[in-house]
Amino acid sequence: MIARTGTCPGAAALVFGTLLAAPAMAQFAKPEDAIKYRQSAFTVMGNHMGRLAAMAKGERPYDAAAAQSSARIIDTIAKLPWEAFVPGSDQGKTGAKPELFANLADVRSLAERLNGETGKLTEAAGNLDAMRKQVGATGAACKACHEKYRNM
Amino acid sequence: MIARTGTCPGAAALVFGTLLAAPAMAQFAKPEDAIKYRQSAFTVMGNHMGRLAAMAKGERPYDAAAAQSSARIIDTIAKLPWEAFVPGSDQGKTGAKPELFANLADVRSLAERLNGETGKLTEAAGNLDAMRKQVGATGAACKACHEKYRNM
């Protein structure tokens, strides 16, 4: 659980960093494990976003059941990577920019935006037009974080 | 969807192989993508199995909400890797034994056993004793496939 600290970004970063680090480190024996975990989550999520995008663009036939299945997977996995930006995991085979680790409150806010969008994805995926719109909104939430914090 | 073919293993393998290959290949641009996808799913699943095992063994305090969250993630992700054993993905950076690709009907059967066990995991994770038992049954289902088809 992340404490909210109102409008003070410095304090938010401190509280988020502290709360993130303590329980999360216990989930990963080594920083490399945290990197591998978050990259794995992004890989699975990206694959299913690709399936939805292909249907949205008409590159693949729209299949409501398959789309909703992918949407459910995305919504589950989109909640996972954030605890894995633990201390020490800014080094090694990571595409995360150093700035990410100095702005964890902003990352949390961007993650919450993403989770808000993925939460609407399963229902939207039941209808092609609604899915197109919601895939766009979800992709925009992905991109907002990638542009700031991921080495392309 | 996998067609059931009764008690004829040869036909089952053929039907499973064919149905697996056709739609699944479309989900992965290259065999390497399929390998990365299934390994990513196993990484995330393994991490959460580790969290439950640590609680089951008393290495970490039991937390019902955290355990049930991990159980839900495991049950979702345990359904994913199987479509990714596509033709061509027996080569490259994979720990899958060649025998796996010659026995896809058996793999499917082992996957169904696993999914049966993970389907019971979330409810079980609400109680420490029930969780211990179900983590054991789930781990045994993982192991049954690893012993036959994974290079250790």
Side-chain angles (χ1 to χ4, degrees):
Chain A
M1 306 295 283
I2 305 303
R4 293 184 175 280
T5 53
T7 56
C8 176
L14 184 67
V15 169
F16 178 58
T18 305
L19 290 183
L20 184 75
M25 274 308 280
Q27 315 297 1
F28 307 105
K30 302 185 297 290
E32 306 91 273
D33 295 346
I35 293 173
K36 190 176 172 190
Y37 176 87
R38 68 193 188 218
Q39 289 178 344
S40 293
F42 286 127
T43 291
V44 176
M45 187 161 47
N47 178 282
H48 286 276
M49 276 297 288
R51 299 185 196 199
L52 296 189
M55 288 188 224
K57 292 181 206 164
E59 296 169 359
R60 190 178 303 177
Y62 171 64
D63 174 335
Q68 290 190 298
S69 170
S70 282
R72 264 182 225 105
I73 293 162
I74 292 165
D75 187 41
T76 296
I77 297 181
K79 298 182 180 73
L80 306 187
W82 323 114
E83 67 169 328
F85 290 103
V86 295
S89 72
D90 54 335
Q91 305 292 321
K93 287 192 177 184
T94 175
K97 291 184 183 174
E99 296 91 296
L100 183 153
F101 297 87
N103 293 284
L104 290 174
D106 187 40
V107 174
R108 182 69 201 175
S109 163
L110 289 161
E112 283 174 358
R113 173 180 163 189
L114 176 68
N115 295 157
E117 298 299 353
T118 65
K120 299 175 203 162
L121 203 52
T122 302
E123 188 180 342
N127 171 280
L128 181 54
D129 283 334
M131 186 186 80
R132 280 202 184 101
K133 192 177 159 193
Q134 195 54 34
V135 165
T138 304
C142 296
K143 194 178 172 187
C145 196
H146 292 171
E147 285 184 340
K148 286 174 102 168
Y149 298 121
R150 188 178 70 156
N151 288 313
M152 296 305 193
Chain B
M1 307 294 282
I2 305 302
R4 293 184 176 279
T5 54
T7 56
C8 176
L14 183 67
V15 170
F16 178 59
T18 305
L19 290 182
L20 185 75
M25 274 308 282
Q27 316 297 0
F28 308 105
K30 302 185 297 291
E32 306 90 274
D33 295 345
I35 293 173
K36 190 176 173 191
Y37 176 85
R38 69 193 187 218
Q39 289 178 344
S40 293
F42 286 127
T43 291
V44 175
M45 187 161 47
N47 178 282
H48 286 277
M49 276 297 288
R51 299 185 197 200
L52 296 189
M55 288 189 223
K57 293 182 205 164
E59 296 169 359
R60 190 177 304 177
Y62 171 64
D63 174 335
Q68 290 191 299
S69 170
S70 282
R72 264 182 225 106
I73 293 162
I74 292 164
D75 187 42
T76 296
I77 297 181
K79 297 180 180 75
L80 306 186
W82 323 113
E83 67 169 328
F85 289 103
V86 295
S89 71
D90 54 335
Q91 306 293 319
K93 287 192 177 184
T94 175
K97 291 184 184 174
E99 296 91 297
L100 183 153
F101 297 87
N103 293 284
L104 289 174
D106 187 40
V107 174
R108 181 70 201 175
S109 163
L110 289 161
E112 282 174 359
R113 174 181 162 189
L114 175 68
N115 295 156
E117 299 299 353
T118 64
K120 299 175 202 162
L121 203 52
T122 302
E123 187 179 342
N127 171 280
L128 181 55
D129 283 334
M131 186 186 80
R132 279 202 186 101
K133 192 177 159 192
Q134 195 54 35
V135 166
T138 304
C142 296
K143 193 178 172 187
C145 196
H146 292 171
E147 286 184 341
K148 286 174 102 167
Y149 297 120
R150 188 178 70 157
N151 288 312
M152 295 305 191

